[in-house]
Amino acid sequence: MHLARSDSDTPRRRRGAELRAALLDAAWDELMARGYAGLTFAAVAERAGTSRPVVNRHWATKDLLVRDAIRRAGADFTLTDPDTGSLRDDTIALLEQLNGAFTAFAAAMTAQLAAYFEETGTTPAELRASLVEARWTLIESIAHRAAARGEIDGTKLTPRITRLPFDLLRHQVLMELEPVPSDDIREIVDTIYLPLIT
């Protein structure tokens, strides 16, 4: 004798954006657990509670799946414009916001993705550009806003100098795999960045 299954016992079928989000979350978890080389469509499907053909319908190759999974994980982190009226305070505030995000992705951008870069022939810089392009407008705007206020010499704002505090933050996170102390952030801004443009 078989017991009838109630509606609550039947797994709810996910579709569209909900299904895609579940697959990307599963892919991110697999990437963190096994690295790029160990990630498989079958493991992603199992973790997401679906079948491999479902994953294949959304992504033709593993590198495309991983890129989208990294982009989704990064989308959870947004920058807000501090607009304090001071370049120093704006820059410190943005560095503090980015500090956590850089730490979260440091591991993924090293050992877990080594095979990804080898397979795709791309570099960490190219992947970073695809992930932070939308945020870069805000980062640039705080420096140009300070120049418009007359706070700094706008002629000294080369792209390399504008990126400098954020590059230094990222480098330290990648080397130490932990958030940068606030004192270090202030040192970057006060002793390295601001003297170059004031």
Side-chain angles (χ1 to χ4, degrees):
M1 178 177 177
H2 296 286
L3 295 175
R5 293 182 68 178
S6 68
D7 289 343
S8 61
D9 294 331
T10 304
R12 186 172 59 86
R13 190 168 183 180
R14 296 163 299 182
R15 298 178 184 277
E18 183 185 6
L19 174 60
R20 184 178 174 87
L23 292 171
L24 290 174
D25 289 343
W28 174 258
D29 290 341
E30 282 294 306
L31 179 65
M32 293 297 98
R34 305 174 192 274
Y36 181 81
L39 183 146
T40 66
F41 277 19
V44 170
E46 182 178 357
R47 190 181 283 266
T50 187
S51 64
R52 176 174 175 162
V54 171
V55 184
N56 284 111
R57 281 200 297 271
H58 287 82
W59 295 276
T61 60
K62 182 166 73 170
D63 63 292
L64 295 176
L65 169 60
V66 167
R67 184 199 61 195
D68 286 351
I70 294 170
R71 183 175 287 119
R72 172 171 165 78
D76 289 339
F77 178 80
T78 57
L79 290 178
T80 58
D81 187 348
D83 197 8
T84 65
S86 158
L87 175 62
R88 177 185 183 275
D89 293 342
D90 282 352
T91 304
I92 288 172
L94 279 186
L95 288 171
E96 292 281 11
Q97 290 181 56
L98 287 166
N99 200 13
F102 282 157
T103 303
F105 283 99
M109 295 294 285
T110 53
Q112 280 91 334
L113 288 179
Y116 169 88
F117 296 124
E118 181 178 354
E119 180 179 304
T120 60
T122 58
T123 65
E126 290 171 302
L127 179 59
R128 183 193 68 191
S130 72
L131 297 173
V132 303
E133 184 176 355
R135 299 182 180 108
W136 189 243
T137 300
L138 173 57
I139 290 170
E140 285 185 314
S141 73
I142 68 169
H144 292 296
R145 191 166 61 208
R149 287 194 301 262
E151 185 181 353
I152 60 171
D153 182 353
T155 64
K156 296 181 178 180
L157 281 178
T158 66
R160 185 178 300 278
I161 289 176
T162 303
R163 289 194 307 265
L164 180 62
F166 306 96
D167 289 343
L168 291 173
L169 176 75
R170 185 180 64 253
H171 174 76
Q172 186 167 333
V173 167
L174 288 172
M175 291 299 100
E176 300 180 2
L177 297 180
E178 60 183 22
V180 175
S182 292
D183 286 347
D184 289 9
I185 287 177
R186 282 159 177 74
E187 182 182 15
I188 287 171
V189 174
D190 291 338
T191 69
I192 301 174
Y193 178 50
L194 291 180
L196 291 173
I197 53 178
T198 56

